[in-house]
Short mmCIF file of all heavy atoms in Angstrom, two decimals:
data_model
loop_
_atom_site.label_atom_id
_atom_site.label_comp_id
_atom_site.label_asym_id
_atom_site.label_seq_id
_atom_site.Cartn_x
_atom_site.Cartn_y
_atom_site.Cartn_z
N GLN A 1 -5.91 21.99 -45.27
CA GLN A 1 -6.95 21.18 -44.62
C GLN A 1 -7.50 20.09 -45.54
O GLN A 1 -8.55 19.49 -45.29
CB GLN A 1 -8.10 22.06 -44.14
CG GLN A 1 -7.69 22.98 -42.97
CD GLN A 1 -8.82 23.83 -42.50
OE1 GLN A 1 -9.45 24.58 -43.25
NE2 GLN A 1 -9.13 23.75 -41.21
N LYS A 2 -6.81 19.80 -46.63
CA LYS A 2 -7.23 18.77 -47.56
C LYS A 2 -6.74 17.40 -47.13
O LYS A 2 -5.75 17.27 -46.41
CB LYS A 2 -6.69 19.09 -48.97
CG LYS A 2 -7.24 20.34 -49.60
CD LYS A 2 -6.48 20.64 -50.89
CE LYS A 2 -6.51 19.45 -51.86
NZ LYS A 2 -5.80 19.77 -53.12
N GLU A 3 -7.45 16.36 -47.61
CA GLU A 3 -6.97 14.99 -47.43
C GLU A 3 -5.84 14.71 -48.42
O GLU A 3 -5.81 15.28 -49.53
CB GLU A 3 -8.10 14.00 -47.66
CG GLU A 3 -9.21 14.02 -46.64
CD GLU A 3 -10.25 12.95 -46.88
OE1 GLU A 3 -10.08 12.16 -47.84
OE2 GLU A 3 -11.22 12.87 -46.09
N HIS A 4 -4.93 13.86 -48.02
CA HIS A 4 -3.82 13.51 -48.88
C HIS A 4 -3.66 11.98 -48.83
O HIS A 4 -3.60 11.40 -47.75
CB HIS A 4 -2.52 14.18 -48.45
CG HIS A 4 -2.57 15.67 -48.50
ND1 HIS A 4 -2.39 16.39 -49.68
CD2 HIS A 4 -2.79 16.60 -47.53
CE1 HIS A 4 -2.47 17.68 -49.42
NE2 HIS A 4 -2.73 17.81 -48.14
N THR A 5 -3.58 11.35 -50.01
CA THR A 5 -3.33 9.92 -50.08
C THR A 5 -1.87 9.69 -50.48
O THR A 5 -1.44 10.18 -51.51
CB THR A 5 -4.27 9.26 -51.11
OG1 THR A 5 -5.64 9.44 -50.68
CG2 THR A 5 -4.00 7.76 -51.20
N ILE A 6 -1.17 8.96 -49.64
CA ILE A 6 0.22 8.69 -49.87
C ILE A 6 0.40 7.20 -50.09
O ILE A 6 -0.13 6.36 -49.31
CB ILE A 6 1.09 9.16 -48.69
CG1 ILE A 6 0.87 10.65 -48.46
CG2 ILE A 6 2.56 8.87 -48.92
CD1 ILE A 6 1.55 11.19 -47.23
N SER A 7 1.06 6.81 -51.16
CA SER A 7 1.25 5.41 -51.48
C SER A 7 2.73 5.08 -51.69
O SER A 7 3.52 5.96 -52.03
CB SER A 7 0.46 5.04 -52.75
OG SER A 7 0.99 5.73 -53.89
N VAL A 8 3.05 3.82 -51.46
CA VAL A 8 4.41 3.33 -51.73
C VAL A 8 4.27 2.04 -52.51
O VAL A 8 3.39 1.22 -52.25
CB VAL A 8 5.18 3.08 -50.41
CG1 VAL A 8 4.51 2.02 -49.53
CG2 VAL A 8 6.63 2.71 -50.70
N THR A 9 5.14 1.89 -53.51
CA THR A 9 5.17 0.70 -54.34
C THR A 9 6.54 0.06 -54.30
O THR A 9 7.56 0.77 -54.45
CB THR A 9 4.76 1.02 -55.79
OG1 THR A 9 3.46 1.60 -55.82
CG2 THR A 9 4.76 -0.23 -56.66
N LEU A 10 6.57 -1.24 -54.09
CA LEU A 10 7.83 -1.98 -54.09
C LEU A 10 7.98 -2.64 -55.44
O LEU A 10 7.05 -3.24 -55.98
CB LEU A 10 7.85 -3.06 -53.02
CG LEU A 10 8.18 -2.63 -51.59
CD1 LEU A 10 7.21 -1.60 -51.08
CD2 LEU A 10 8.19 -3.85 -50.69
N ARG A 11 9.19 -2.55 -55.99
CA ARG A 11 9.41 -3.17 -57.29
C ARG A 11 10.53 -4.19 -57.17
O ARG A 11 11.71 -3.86 -57.16
CB ARG A 11 9.78 -2.11 -58.34
CG ARG A 11 9.91 -2.70 -59.73
CD ARG A 11 10.08 -1.62 -60.76
NE ARG A 11 10.19 -2.20 -62.10
CZ ARG A 11 10.29 -1.46 -63.22
NH1 ARG A 11 10.31 -0.14 -63.14
NH2 ARG A 11 10.38 -2.04 -64.39
N ASN A 12 10.14 -5.44 -57.04
CA ASN A 12 11.08 -6.56 -57.09
C ASN A 12 10.68 -7.40 -58.28
O ASN A 12 10.63 -6.91 -59.41
CB ASN A 12 11.06 -7.36 -55.80
CG ASN A 12 11.70 -6.58 -54.64
OD1 ASN A 12 12.61 -5.82 -54.85
ND2 ASN A 12 11.23 -6.82 -53.43
N SER A 13 10.36 -8.67 -58.06
CA SER A 13 9.84 -9.46 -59.16
C SER A 13 8.39 -9.10 -59.41
O SER A 13 7.86 -9.26 -60.52
CB SER A 13 9.93 -10.95 -58.81
OG SER A 13 9.26 -11.21 -57.57
N ASN A 14 7.71 -8.57 -58.42
CA ASN A 14 6.32 -8.14 -58.56
C ASN A 14 6.19 -6.79 -57.91
O ASN A 14 7.00 -6.39 -57.04
CB ASN A 14 5.38 -9.14 -57.89
CG ASN A 14 5.44 -10.50 -58.53
OD1 ASN A 14 4.93 -10.72 -59.61
ND2 ASN A 14 6.10 -11.45 -57.84
N LYS A 15 5.15 -6.06 -58.27
CA LYS A 15 4.89 -4.74 -57.68
C LYS A 15 3.87 -4.91 -56.56
O LYS A 15 2.75 -5.33 -56.77
CB LYS A 15 4.38 -3.76 -58.75
CG LYS A 15 5.43 -3.35 -59.75
CD LYS A 15 4.90 -2.29 -60.69
CE LYS A 15 5.96 -1.81 -61.67
NZ LYS A 15 5.48 -0.77 -62.58
N ILE A 16 4.28 -4.54 -55.35
CA ILE A 16 3.41 -4.58 -54.19
C ILE A 16 3.18 -3.14 -53.73
O ILE A 16 4.14 -2.35 -53.59
CB ILE A 16 4.04 -5.40 -53.03
CG1 ILE A 16 4.45 -6.79 -53.53
CG2 ILE A 16 3.09 -5.49 -51.87
CD1 ILE A 16 3.31 -7.64 -54.00
N SER A 17 1.93 -2.76 -53.49
CA SER A 17 1.62 -1.38 -53.12
C SER A 17 0.83 -1.35 -51.81
O SER A 17 0.13 -2.26 -51.46
CB SER A 17 0.82 -0.67 -54.23
OG SER A 17 1.58 -0.56 -55.41
N GLN A 18 0.95 -0.22 -51.14
CA GLN A 18 0.21 0.07 -49.93
C GLN A 18 -0.01 1.57 -49.88
O GLN A 18 0.82 2.36 -50.35
CB GLN A 18 0.94 -0.42 -48.69
CG GLN A 18 0.14 -0.36 -47.39
CD GLN A 18 -1.08 -1.23 -47.43
OE1 GLN A 18 -2.16 -0.77 -47.83
NE2 GLN A 18 -0.93 -2.48 -47.05
N SER A 19 -1.15 2.01 -49.32
CA SER A 19 -1.41 3.46 -49.27
C SER A 19 -2.13 3.80 -47.96
O SER A 19 -2.70 2.93 -47.31
CB SER A 19 -2.25 3.89 -50.48
OG SER A 19 -3.54 3.31 -50.41
N VAL A 20 -2.09 5.08 -47.62
CA VAL A 20 -2.79 5.58 -46.44
C VAL A 20 -3.33 6.96 -46.81
O VAL A 20 -2.69 7.73 -47.53
CB VAL A 20 -1.88 5.66 -45.23
CG1 VAL A 20 -0.70 6.60 -45.47
CG2 VAL A 20 -2.63 6.08 -43.99
N THR A 21 -4.56 7.26 -46.33
CA THR A 21 -5.14 8.58 -46.55
C THR A 21 -5.09 9.37 -45.27
O THR A 21 -5.63 8.94 -44.24
CB THR A 21 -6.60 8.44 -47.03
OG1 THR A 21 -6.63 7.76 -48.30
CG2 THR A 21 -7.22 9.82 -47.20
N LEU A 22 -4.42 10.49 -45.28
CA LEU A 22 -4.26 11.35 -44.11
C LEU A 22 -5.40 12.36 -44.11
O LEU A 22 -5.51 13.19 -45.00
CB LEU A 22 -2.93 12.07 -44.13
CG LEU A 22 -1.68 11.17 -44.10
CD1 LEU A 22 -0.41 12.02 -44.22
CD2 LEU A 22 -1.63 10.32 -42.87
N LYS A 23 -6.27 12.24 -43.11
CA LYS A 23 -7.38 13.16 -42.95
C LYS A 23 -7.03 14.16 -41.85
O LYS A 23 -6.80 13.77 -40.70
CB LYS A 23 -8.65 12.39 -42.60
CG LYS A 23 -9.08 11.41 -43.66
CD LYS A 23 -10.36 10.67 -43.28
CE LYS A 23 -10.78 9.70 -44.35
NZ LYS A 23 -12.03 8.97 -43.99
N PRO A 24 -6.97 15.44 -42.18
CA PRO A 24 -6.53 16.43 -41.17
C PRO A 24 -7.53 16.52 -40.00
O PRO A 24 -8.75 16.53 -40.21
CB PRO A 24 -6.44 17.73 -41.96
CG PRO A 24 -7.35 17.52 -43.14
CD PRO A 24 -7.28 16.06 -43.48
N SER A 25 -6.98 16.60 -38.82
CA SER A 25 -7.77 16.80 -37.61
C SER A 25 -7.52 18.20 -37.07
O SER A 25 -6.50 18.82 -37.39
CB SER A 25 -7.40 15.76 -36.55
OG SER A 25 -7.64 14.46 -37.00
N ALA A 26 -8.41 18.65 -36.26
CA ALA A 26 -8.22 19.94 -35.58
C ALA A 26 -7.50 19.72 -34.25
O ALA A 26 -7.71 18.71 -33.58
CB ALA A 26 -9.57 20.63 -35.35
N PRO A 27 -6.61 20.64 -33.87
CA PRO A 27 -5.99 20.52 -32.56
C PRO A 27 -7.07 20.67 -31.47
O PRO A 27 -8.16 21.19 -31.70
CB PRO A 27 -4.99 21.66 -32.54
CG PRO A 27 -5.46 22.63 -33.56
CD PRO A 27 -6.15 21.81 -34.61
N GLU A 28 -6.72 20.22 -30.26
CA GLU A 28 -7.65 20.26 -29.14
C GLU A 28 -6.95 20.80 -27.90
O GLU A 28 -5.72 20.84 -27.84
CB GLU A 28 -8.21 18.88 -28.84
CG GLU A 28 -8.98 18.25 -30.01
CD GLU A 28 -9.45 16.84 -29.70
OE1 GLU A 28 -9.32 16.42 -28.52
OE2 GLU A 28 -9.94 16.15 -30.62
N VAL A 29 -7.75 21.16 -26.91
CA VAL A 29 -7.21 21.54 -25.62
C VAL A 29 -8.12 20.92 -24.56
O VAL A 29 -9.33 20.90 -24.71
CB VAL A 29 -7.10 23.08 -25.45
CG1 VAL A 29 -8.46 23.73 -25.51
CG2 VAL A 29 -6.40 23.42 -24.13
N VAL A 30 -7.50 20.36 -23.52
CA VAL A 30 -8.25 19.71 -22.44
C VAL A 30 -7.88 20.37 -21.11
O VAL A 30 -6.70 20.66 -20.87
CB VAL A 30 -7.97 18.19 -22.39
CG1 VAL A 30 -8.78 17.53 -21.27
CG2 VAL A 30 -8.28 17.53 -23.72
N LEU A 31 -8.89 20.62 -20.29
CA LEU A 31 -8.68 21.24 -18.98
C LEU A 31 -8.62 20.15 -17.90
O LEU A 31 -9.45 19.24 -17.86
CB LEU A 31 -9.80 22.22 -18.66
CG LEU A 31 -10.00 23.36 -19.67
CD1 LEU A 31 -11.20 24.22 -19.28
CD2 LEU A 31 -8.73 24.21 -19.77
N TYR A 32 -7.62 20.28 -17.01
CA TYR A 32 -7.48 19.33 -15.91
C TYR A 32 -7.27 20.08 -14.59
O TYR A 32 -6.69 21.19 -14.59
CB TYR A 32 -6.22 18.44 -16.12
CG TYR A 32 -6.24 17.59 -17.35
CD1 TYR A 32 -5.50 17.97 -18.50
CD2 TYR A 32 -6.96 16.40 -17.42
CE1 TYR A 32 -5.49 17.19 -19.64
CE2 TYR A 32 -6.96 15.61 -18.56
CZ TYR A 32 -6.22 16.01 -19.67
OH TYR A 32 -6.22 15.24 -20.80
N PRO A 33 -7.72 19.49 -13.49
CA PRO A 33 -7.37 20.10 -12.19
C PRO A 33 -5.91 19.85 -11.87
O PRO A 33 -5.33 18.83 -12.28
CB PRO A 33 -8.29 19.36 -11.19
CG PRO A 33 -8.56 18.04 -11.86
CD PRO A 33 -8.56 18.30 -13.34
N GLU A 34 -5.30 20.77 -11.17
CA GLU A 34 -3.88 20.63 -10.80
C GLU A 34 -3.74 20.64 -9.28
O GLU A 34 -4.25 21.54 -8.61
CB GLU A 34 -3.04 21.74 -11.44
CG GLU A 34 -1.55 21.57 -11.16
CD GLU A 34 -0.69 22.06 -12.30
OE1 GLU A 34 -0.76 21.48 -13.40
OE2 GLU A 34 0.04 23.03 -12.07
N SER A 35 -3.03 19.64 -8.79
CA SER A 35 -2.83 19.50 -7.36
C SER A 35 -1.43 19.97 -6.98
O SER A 35 -0.46 19.70 -7.71
CB SER A 35 -3.00 18.03 -6.93
OG SER A 35 -2.49 17.80 -5.66
N PRO A 36 -1.30 20.68 -5.85
CA PRO A 36 0.04 21.11 -5.40
C PRO A 36 0.96 19.91 -5.13
O PRO A 36 2.18 20.05 -5.25
CB PRO A 36 -0.26 21.89 -4.11
CG PRO A 36 -1.68 22.31 -4.21
CD PRO A 36 -2.36 21.21 -4.98
N LEU A 37 0.38 18.76 -4.74
CA LEU A 37 1.17 17.60 -4.42
C LEU A 37 1.42 16.69 -5.62
O LEU A 37 2.51 16.16 -5.79
CB LEU A 37 0.49 16.79 -3.30
CG LEU A 37 0.38 17.46 -1.92
CD1 LEU A 37 -0.39 16.55 -0.96
CD2 LEU A 37 1.75 17.77 -1.38
N TYR A 38 0.39 16.50 -6.46
CA TYR A 38 0.46 15.48 -7.52
C TYR A 38 0.57 16.07 -8.93
O TYR A 38 0.68 15.35 -9.90
CB TYR A 38 -0.75 14.57 -7.46
CG TYR A 38 -0.94 13.91 -6.10
CD1 TYR A 38 -1.95 14.35 -5.24
CD2 TYR A 38 -0.06 12.95 -5.67
CE1 TYR A 38 -2.10 13.76 -3.99
CE2 TYR A 38 -0.21 12.33 -4.42
CZ TYR A 38 -1.24 12.75 -3.59
OH TYR A 38 -1.38 12.19 -2.35
N GLY A 39 0.53 17.39 -9.02
CA GLY A 39 0.64 17.98 -10.34
C GLY A 39 -0.65 17.86 -11.13
O GLY A 39 -1.75 17.76 -10.56
N THR A 40 -0.53 17.87 -12.45
CA THR A 40 -1.71 17.80 -13.32
C THR A 40 -2.36 16.44 -13.21
O THR A 40 -1.73 15.42 -13.44
CB THR A 40 -1.30 18.06 -14.78
OG1 THR A 40 -0.64 19.33 -14.86
CG2 THR A 40 -2.50 18.07 -15.68
N GLN A 41 -3.63 16.42 -12.87
CA GLN A 41 -4.35 15.17 -12.70
C GLN A 41 -5.04 14.80 -14.02
O GLN A 41 -6.23 15.04 -14.26
CB GLN A 41 -5.39 15.30 -11.57
CG GLN A 41 -4.73 15.59 -10.22
CD GLN A 41 -5.75 15.74 -9.10
OE1 GLN A 41 -6.37 16.81 -8.96
NE2 GLN A 41 -5.94 14.69 -8.32
N SER A 42 -4.23 14.17 -14.89
CA SER A 42 -4.68 13.91 -16.25
C SER A 42 -5.78 12.83 -16.36
O SER A 42 -6.31 12.62 -17.43
CB SER A 42 -3.48 13.50 -17.11
OG SER A 42 -2.83 12.38 -16.55
#
């Protein structure tokens, strides 16, 4: 459940970097009505 920072560096004539921090989320569940004709009404 920790955050993780992932970075990438390009090495050509110059070094170019970019990074992203992944923040963990909790899974979810959503309740929907279900119709015999139309299925799950999302």
Side-chain angles (χ1 to χ4, degrees):
Q1 291 181 304
K2 294 172 55 179
E3 292 184 0
H4 298 279
T5 299
I6 303 175
S7 65
V8 62
T9 301
L10 278 59
R11 185 172 181 177
N12 289 329
S13 56
N14 298 285
K15 290 185 177 181
I16 306 298
S17 296
Q18 189 62 270
S19 66
V20 62
T21 298
L22 300 176
K23 299 180 180 180
S25 300
E28 299 176 9
V29 62
V30 181
L31 302 177
Y32 299 102
E34 183 147 296
S35 166
L37 294 177
Y38 305 107
T40 303
Q41 298 179 281
S42 56

